[in-house]
Amino acid sequence: MNLFERDDKKVEYIELIYDLVFVYMVGRNNALLHHFEGGFVAPVNMMAYVMCTLAIIQIWNFTTFYINMFGRNSARDHVCLFINMYLMYFIGEATRTDFAPYQAQYHIAWALILINIGVQYLIELRNHQADVWNRDIIKRMALALFAEAAVVLIAAFTSMSLSIVLSALAIAVGVVLTSFGKFRSPGGSIDFMHLTERAMLYVVFTFGEMIITIATYFKGDGSFDPNVIYFSLMAFLIVAGLFLSYGLYYDHLLDREREDNGLLYMILHIFIIFALNNITVSLEFMRMEEVALMPKMVFIVGSVIAYYLLLFIACRYSKVSCRLSRTFDAGLAAVTAVFAVLMIAFKDNMYINIFITVVYVYTIVAAIYRSKVWLDSKE
């Protein structure tokens, strides 16, 4: 068999099962924000939420790249995935506000997951004895994983404050070391279509958590309550519009057959998923009286704008690059500025600000749909 000959990779059932544990982790990470001081999220909890969320998404990213490049849906692949799923539960149990007693547990489990993936790369070396390109990729990825694991292990046995710093450093080490070099060989190691499908599925799972969150908007006493109907409808429209935005991009704009190493695409999706997690939290905060109005507004406005900004950056992967006119860019910037100003101005009136959010989301949906129509007319 020629190692350079490779069929298009399909998403396997084992990958979908593996993703389910990350759905569980979304809920665990979001729970970190349910501790308030004077109506604001405690700073230490916010920092823990950011670190834990990015660490989990990075673990998923490392696994996805390995399966994309070298996964064969083999017994070894399955065993390694199940081991990491098992270890993820220890991370999930240690993800809590009273973190100190669980610090070692969290970081040891995290490091073992990284080591597990790194060992898979090293085992893969035997299949590429004469393949210089892929051997270089394998060695570099293994080095990145083991280096990050080493920093994580040190963080397991240090003070609480230093542990947070080392966790951030570990994530940065992984990002920087995997960014060096090339991810393409003469045979094309990366299957970009598989990467886009995996990223899309993670986005869908993240929307699943958002759908569960807005269920609280439907709670009432069984009577005809206009408030319940209004707010539940607005919340549902927001989630549907956010999902439509990504769906239009993925189904109609994204060039899934392009030749690309997918690195920037996956990094963008780390932060797209992070933004969606924040939107989920912000929708939950909107129903909580113990959260002050200003952090509610900052959370919802910042996360929605970040989501769309990242999605438009991802348009560089469109079938035809989205070279939008300056007028179009200025119009979107103006709409976004008006959205932010109106949300802050009407922060005391939930009826108005949730309606403003719906209008903004569907304005962007219309803009993306316009790009789809333009692209269709060019094909």
Side-chain angles (χ1 to χ4, degrees):
M1 174 182 176
N2 186 345
L3 291 174
F4 290 157
E5 291 179 0
R6 181 175 177 177
D7 295 331
D8 290 339
K9 180 175 284 294
K10 306 296 182 183
V11 174
E12 305 290 346
Y13 287 118
I14 186 67
E15 295 179 77
L16 300 180
I17 294 171
Y18 180 69
D19 283 352
L20 292 178
V21 76
F22 289 89
V23 178
Y24 159 69
M25 288 306 305
V26 169
R28 294 295 298 180
N29 288 336
N30 290 353
L32 291 172
L33 297 178
H34 293 176
H35 182 71
F36 310 103
E37 295 178 359
F40 290 77
V41 177
V44 66
N45 287 59
M46 175 60 74
M47 189 177 300
Y49 163 75
V50 172
M51 289 297 103
C52 289
T53 301
L54 292 179
I56 294 306
I57 299 174
Q58 188 186 51
I59 288 172
W60 177 88
N61 216 15
F62 281 142
T63 306
T64 298
F65 265 109
Y66 172 78
I67 293 175
N68 183 280
M69 289 188 286
F70 304 113
R72 296 180 176 83
N73 199 27
S74 64
R76 174 167 62 85
D77 289 345
H78 292 185
V79 169
C80 290
L81 281 178
F82 282 125
I83 289 173
N84 280 356
M85 286 179 68
Y86 177 74
L87 291 170
M88 287 288 289
Y89 279 102
F90 285 99
I91 293 180
E93 178 60 23
T95 304
R96 50 176 68 224
T97 53
D98 56 330
F99 179 67
Y102 298 87
Q103 177 181 330
Q105 174 179 315
Y106 187 101
H107 288 87
I108 291 173
W110 180 6
L112 288 175
I113 290 172
L114 296 173
I115 291 170
N116 183 6
I117 303 171
V119 168
Q120 287 179 266
Y121 274 105
L122 292 183
I123 294 174
E124 186 64 28
L125 272 175
R126 66 186 181 184
N127 297 319
H128 301 273
Q129 296 296 331
D131 183 357
V132 177
W133 286 72
N134 278 326
R135 286 181 68 84
D136 177 67
I137 292 171
I138 290 168
K139 291 177 181 178
R140 181 161 42 81
M141 289 301 298
L143 173 63
L145 287 158
F146 291 140
E148 181 171 341
V151 179
V152 172
L153 282 174
I154 295 172
F157 304 103
T158 61
S159 66
M160 183 78 165
S161 56
L162 182 57
S163 175
I164 294 174
V165 174
L166 289 174
S167 295
L169 176 62
I171 294 171
V173 166
V175 171
V176 171
L177 291 182
T178 54
S179 299
F180 292 149
K182 296 182 179 180
F183 277 81
R184 293 177 62 186
S185 71
S189 292
I190 292 293
D191 187 325
F192 186 67
M193 183 177 294
H194 175 262
L195 279 186
T196 61
E197 189 171 357
R198 294 291 290 118
M200 177 272 292
L201 289 170
Y202 200 158
V203 168
V204 169
F205 285 135
T206 306
F207 271 111
E209 183 68 20
M210 196 181 298
I211 288 171
I212 293 171
T213 295
I214 67 168
T216 59
Y217 284 76
F218 291 79
K219 289 183 178 178
D221 57 6
S223 62
F224 180 80
D225 188 339
N227 286 329
V228 171
I229 294 174
Y230 177 77
F231 283 106
S232 63
L233 176 61
M234 294 296 104
F236 181 79
L237 288 174
I238 289 170
V239 175
L242 293 169
F243 185 78
L244 276 174
S245 302
Y246 190 88
L248 284 168
Y249 166 74
Y250 181 82
D251 287 335
H252 301 285
L253 303 183
L254 177 62
D255 182 5
R256 299 180 61 208
E257 298 181 356
R258 69 186 288 157
E259 291 292 329
D260 193 274
N261 64 22
L263 184 62
L264 177 58
Y265 185 83
M266 296 302 280
I267 291 174
L268 282 171
H269 271 76
I270 287 176
F271 293 101
I272 286 174
I273 292 165
F274 182 63
L276 286 172
N277 283 336
N278 290 340
I279 294 173
T280 300
V281 173
S282 67
L283 289 172
E284 191 173 8
F285 280 178
M286 298 296 281
R287 302 286 292 174
M288 301 172 68
E289 295 181 358
E290 58 267 41
V291 183
L293 288 174
M294 187 54 71
K296 284 182 180 180
M297 291 301 104
V298 170
F299 230 98
I300 188 71
V301 172
S303 54
V304 169
I305 291 176
Y307 169 68
Y308 279 121
L309 175 62
L310 292 162
L311 195 58
F312 274 104
I313 292 174
C315 281
R316 64 167 288 171
Y317 291 95
S318 296
K319 295 173 184 176
V320 176
S321 296
C322 291
R323 298 187 181 92
L324 305 176
S325 66
R326 292 184 178 180
T327 302
F328 187 80
D329 287 341
L332 284 180
V335 169
T336 299
V338 170
F339 165 65
V341 170
L342 289 178
M343 287 292 284
I344 301 301
F346 291 98
K347 65 180 184 299
D348 297 320
N349 193 319
M350 294 297 174
Y351 286 92
I352 295 178
N353 60 47
I354 197 170
F355 178 76
I356 292 169
T357 305
V358 170
V359 171
Y360 176 70
V361 167
Y362 281 91
T363 300
I364 302 299
V365 170
I368 297 174
Y369 183 77
R370 173 184 169 183
S371 297
K372 168 194 174 302
V373 172
W374 176 82
L375 183 58
D376 289 343
S377 68
K378 297 294 182 180
E379 293 181 342

